[in-house]
Amino acid sequence: MSTALVANGFPEEEVRSRARLGAAAVFPAESGYGNGLLGAGPAPYAPDRDDDLERIRIVPPVFMPERLKKLIDLGREPLYSDVELETVIGGFTSRLPLYVSAFGSTQVASHHLGEAVGRQAAQLGVPLVIGENVVPVNGYRDADGAGATPLLGRIAAYAEAADDEHGGVALQQSTEDADAEVWNLVYSDPVSEPLLATGRLAFELKVGQGAKPGLGGLTVLDRDTAGRVAEQYATDEVFGADSDRVLRASSPGTFTEEILRQQVRLMRNNFPRVKVWVKLHPGRDVALAAATAWAAGADAVTVDGAEGGTAWAPTGFLSHVGLPLADCLRRVGRKDRCLLASGRMWEGTRAVKALALGARAVGLGRAALLAVDEDREAGLCRLAEAFALETRMLTSAVGKYHVNALDPEDLLLPAAWRMSPATSGAA
């Protein structure tokens, strides 16, 4: 076990427990069976009660016509194990309604940790998103040309562990990545060919992220590294001129409706063999931005709620800037399009609520890193095992037998939401 990573304010110990125990961690400790009395009460962790996704309750009906249909189909009473979780995420077939969110160039997604996440995501058959700024900061190839850089290492680890049918890799690009021609390099690189040949490579245009809505990426660099990337990035002496560290700032990029439309169309024209994804920060016009991206031809739109983030951000942004994920989902509403959602995801109840509100899949960011930090060989796989069990049980409990059938009717929504047309059904 490694405990190099910490995640203050996040249910770190619960995630680590699931990374060790897998599905067993969904239940109370086995040692208490037979002498403990269970009932509603405080959770072992303290969720934010101002977070609407935490306040929403999942509400099973008494009468379940879909369960009757499943009974007739199976010739027996259905069980939670009969719930189907396989779905299509941004053009990729995924074994679970789950993907691994981007970590970018942040130091916590170190060389070996990033590759371990990629390998386990491939084994699970779920998509992996590789974040922006990896190449401008770390380079595309190492000095001897062996290709063992963070970007190529993650792609290679994923491709080697994946089958030919499930999952895929989505590679983000921001302003500095575009200057470095990252997509062009990856598109023509032999390491990507196994994914391209099976239609399992996507390029994701990064418009923003949940931890820093409206800002570009921020990382802390030593002075030698900062000097090496000075032509690509701005730096700021926020830690003082005597410090050996500086703040590296990325450009957030500039978007209007027309710029976003043209960017998506350009991606489709220039890279016809890849899927096109767009990542949005939790802006107040998130519904318009998502609709614009889909109309231009995006295969998936990712909404990163204000609860998201794995790296470096001003503390004021973390608590006060951007729409919470629940509000993003309410504003976008249910659409016959692929909407992906991330923001404090780690277990089944929060995920099922997001899926019922219109997301096709949810992303694991901090939880994925913590799980792999706990166990480099199987931590993420065990965390996903627990996620799958909970998701099946919850979906079955509301009388549904495919995760895509979840709907706002399965939720008790906050009173202010109940008259909103955005959550009244599929559009």
Side-chain angles (χ1 to χ4, degrees), residues 292-370:
T292 301
W294 283 321
D299 296 290
V301 170
T302 300
V303 174
D304 200 3
E307 303 89 343
T310 55
W312 194 255
T315 55
F317 270 70
L318 297 176
S319 300
H320 298 284
V321 181
L323 290 174
L325 180 58
D327 284 285
C328 293
L329 294 170
R330 181 177 63 85
R331 293 188 185 209
V332 175
R334 291 187 59 84
K335 301 290 189 293
D336 189 21
R337 304 280 189 164
C338 184
L339 177 67
L340 309 180
S342 58
R344 204 177 174 82
M345 294 293 172
W346 66 278
E347 47 79 44
T349 58
R350 186 174 179 86
V352 163
K353 294 171 189 179
L355 296 171
L357 289 171
R360 182 75 58 82
V362 299
L364 298 181
R366 284 168 289 182
L369 282 171
L370 288 169

Side-chain angles (χ1 to χ4, degrees), residues 193-233:
E193 186 54 35
L195 297 171
L196 278 169
T198 53
R200 292 178 301 131
L201 183 66
F203 289 162
E204 182 172 67
L205 177 65
K206 183 175 179 181
V207 179
Q209 66 181 37
K212 301 179 284 289
L215 284 182
L218 300 173
T219 60
V220 179
L221 302 178
D222 62 74
R223 289 193 176 274
D224 288 341
T225 304
R228 180 169 53 80
V229 300
E231 292 186 5
Q232 292 98 344
Y233 295 98

